[in-house]
Every structure is written in C-alpha cells, then in structure tokens.
Amino acid sequence: MKTYDQIMLELQKKQYSPVYFLTGEEPYFIDKVASKIESEVLDDTSKSFDQQVLYGRDLEDIGQVISMAQQFPMLGERTVIIVREAQVLKKWENFELYWKNPMQSTVLVICYKGKPNGNFKAFKGLSTTDYYMESAKLRDYQINKWIIDLIREKRLQVEPKVVQILADSLGADMNRIEKELEKLVSGLPEGTKMIDAALVERNIGISKDFNGFELQKALVEGDVVKANRIVNYFADNPKDHTIIKELPLLFRFFSNLLIYLYLPDKSDRVAAQALGISPFAVRDYQAASRRFTKMHAFRAIGYIREADARSKGIDYPNSSNEGDIWKELIYKIMH
C-alpha cells in the first residue's frame, strides 16, 4: 500500500506504476492523483491516441477495462486508462489475474470511491501491494494541518486563527477549501506573503469577527456582549450561518473540553493526542478549563443538544426562531 504523498512524489519524478487502485471514503485524494496522471503522463499528441478516461456507468463490467489495458500503445511508450466511478462495475473477480501480471506499457488508474467489497479475493491481495492507495477521511486536526501544508506549498504563511476559521466555516469539504484558498492567493496584494483574517473576509466572505471560532472564544472569555453580538449576526445571516451548521462546532468544543478536564496528564502533547487536535489548539482548552468545570461542560453539551432539537422541531413543536434559540443557549452556557 502506498500513501497519497508517496504517489504524488513519484509522479513528480515521472515514476509510473502499471496499476493505481485508488479507493476510500475521501474522494479528494483519489481525484487529485487521477487528475495529475491524466494531465501529465502523456503529451497532448499522445493523449489523442493512447489515453482514455472512462466512467463505470458506461461500462458493463471490469472485463472491458482489462481488455483495453492489455493493448499496446498506438503512438508513444505508454497507454493511460483512467476509470472513474469504478465502484459501480461488476465481476471484480476477473481483475486479479490482470494486476498480478499487468501490461508494463499501460498505466491503469482505477478510481473506486468507498470501501471495496471485502468478499473479493482480488481486493484482499491487492491491498498489500504498491498498487493500492486508501484515501481516508481526515480528522479535524488533520484538516487544519492539511490547510497549513497547502498554503506552505504556495510559499505563503497563514495566521493560526485563519486556519481554524476556514476549517470551522468550510467543514471537511476539501475541494471547496482548496478553491477558496485559490481565491485567497489570487487576492493577495503583490509582495504579501501572509494570509490574515481580513483577507479571508474580503475574498471569501467569512467574517473575521462573526464566526464559530470567535463565538467559542467569547464563551471562553465570558464576554456576554460579544457572544450575543455574534449570534445576532448568525440570526441575521441564516444562509451562511444556520444553527444546524454552527452548533456542531460548539458541541465538539465542549465534548473535547469535558475529555480534557478528565485527563490526568494535561500536557500539550498528551492532550493533543487524546483530543485529536494540534498541540497549538490545546491552549483553547487550557483557557476554557479555567472558566468551565466538568459539570459546566456536561451541562453545556446538554444545552446544545436541546437547542439542536428545538431548531429541528423535535419535541418542540412550537419552537422559537433561530435567534431566540441562540440567545437562550448563550444565556444558559454562560450562567
């Protein structure tokens, strides 16, 4: 099995494998590998003769792909065959004979999104080879690191606050995050190397003052006025700040805080590992622990669950509007 980083490094060095079986729950890394192979392995002239991009829905079974992969290139040294949405194909038991003895002049890329059928022997053996890459969903702390790495690749720097704002506001949609980062880069004034919160607000529309990160900070600092100002902004801008979108951020924070409060060893390294966050983010929980006790954190989680139910009309048929729900929640948490 190879990692995404290993494969991308080899592709940069023009080292190509005869088979790439790209699978997993995170489509972003699968698409990135396939797109790089599609755009860079063959030149434009060779692509017309020796490159095919196929879709599983247009094929009967994997046998058709194998037949194409066994053909010699017409013009250049390689044939490139990319099969997108391959998870809908059938008869995968026929694939084992090919990957065990592939055409060395073919680069066959199988994009199988989701988890492969564990009943097929072909997949069990394949997962132990260098042809196999599993693209797993990133955890919260990994998304933050991924954002930082993506920005560093562009030889830029970013404020830690901005990384958290992007992760909280855009969620785990990595394609969307990448597109928004491209907006930020294109909006940088000439000679500027730092991406700050003001730039995010100008180019993406995520307010540097009114977001989930700032609400969390206001609660930790006990700033009632700021917290209510933020939730009023949320209520006035429901398209960008629905309560269903923002509540999970608070729920995750207080859930992690409760775990932190029970940790016998609260050092940055141990806490970061226990919470699945970066060591830098541990300081937020250190600050929160000085304001909230275990019982406060436990009750806050209950209040957030109640607000979520009210927003969905569950057990609360006469639920108030989102602004009222927010205000009540903030009052309960801070008192």
Side-chain angles (χ1 to χ4, degrees), residues 57-122:
R57 64 177 179 271
D58 299 324
L59 302 168
E60 292 181 6
D61 56 55
I62 191 63
Q64 289 179 273
V65 177
I66 295 171
S67 296
M68 297 176 191
Q70 289 173 329
Q71 298 176 12
F72 289 99
M74 296 178 62
L75 187 64
E77 297 179 356
R78 293 184 179 86
T79 299
V80 174
I81 299 174
I82 300 171
V83 186
R84 298 186 183 273
E85 307 297 337
Q87 66 274 9
V88 303
L89 290 174
K90 300 177 181 179
K91 298 184 179 179
W92 282 98
E93 58 272 16
N94 297 326
F95 184 52
E96 184 178 12
L97 289 176
Y98 180 79
W99 68 255
K100 285 187 172 180
N101 187 29
M103 284 282 288
Q104 294 302 311
S105 58
T106 296
V107 177
L108 174 61
V109 184
I110 304 292
C111 303
Y112 191 113
K113 295 178 181 179
K115 293 184 178 180
N117 189 327
N119 295 326
F120 291 133
K121 179 184 175 185

Side-chain angles (χ1 to χ4, degrees), residues 13-155:
K13 296 178 179 178
K14 300 188 181 303
Q15 299 172 355
Y16 306 123
S17 171
V19 177
Y20 294 90
F21 190 87
L22 315 174
T23 185
E25 300 294 339
E26 177 52 67
Y28 175 83
F29 297 110
I30 295 174
D31 291 339
K32 291 292 285 187
V33 172
S35 295
K36 189 170 183 66
I37 292 172
E38 180 180 354
S39 63
E40 297 184 9
V41 173
L42 300 182
D43 59 37
D44 290 340
T45 302
S46 298
K47 285 178 185 177
S48 302
F49 296 91
D50 295 322
Q51 180 163 292
Q52 295 190 67
V53 180
L54 311 169
Y55 289 84
R57 64 177 179 271
D58 299 324
L59 302 168
E60 292 181 6
D61 56 55
I62 191 63
Q64 289 179 273
V65 177
I66 295 171
S67 296
M68 297 176 191
Q70 289 173 329
Q71 298 176 12
F72 289 99
M74 296 178 62
L75 187 64
E77 297 179 356
R78 293 184 179 86
T79 299
V80 174
I81 299 174
I82 300 171
V83 186
R84 298 186 183 273
E85 307 297 337
Q87 66 274 9
V88 303
L89 290 174
K90 300 177 181 179
K91 298 184 179 179
W92 282 98
E93 58 272 16
N94 297 326
F95 184 52
E96 184 178 12
L97 289 176
Y98 180 79
W99 68 255
K100 285 187 172 180
N101 187 29
M103 284 282 288
Q104 294 302 311
S105 58
T106 296
V107 177
L108 174 61
V109 184
I110 304 292
C111 303
Y112 191 113
K113 295 178 181 179
K115 293 184 178 180
N117 189 327
N119 295 326
F120 291 133
K121 179 184 175 185
F123 293 148
K124 292 179 181 178
L126 184 62
S127 64
T128 63
T129 71
D130 286 344
Y131 300 154
Y132 191 93
M133 183 198 86
E134 184 169 348
S135 179
K137 288 284 187 183
L138 296 187
R139 297 179 66 183
D140 294 336
Y141 77 97
Q142 292 174 312
I143 289 177
N144 287 25
K145 181 181 182 301
W146 174 75
I147 291 173
I148 293 171
D149 290 343
L150 202 59
I151 291 172
R152 284 177 176 169
E153 283 179 12
K154 303 178 186 300
R155 300 189 178 183

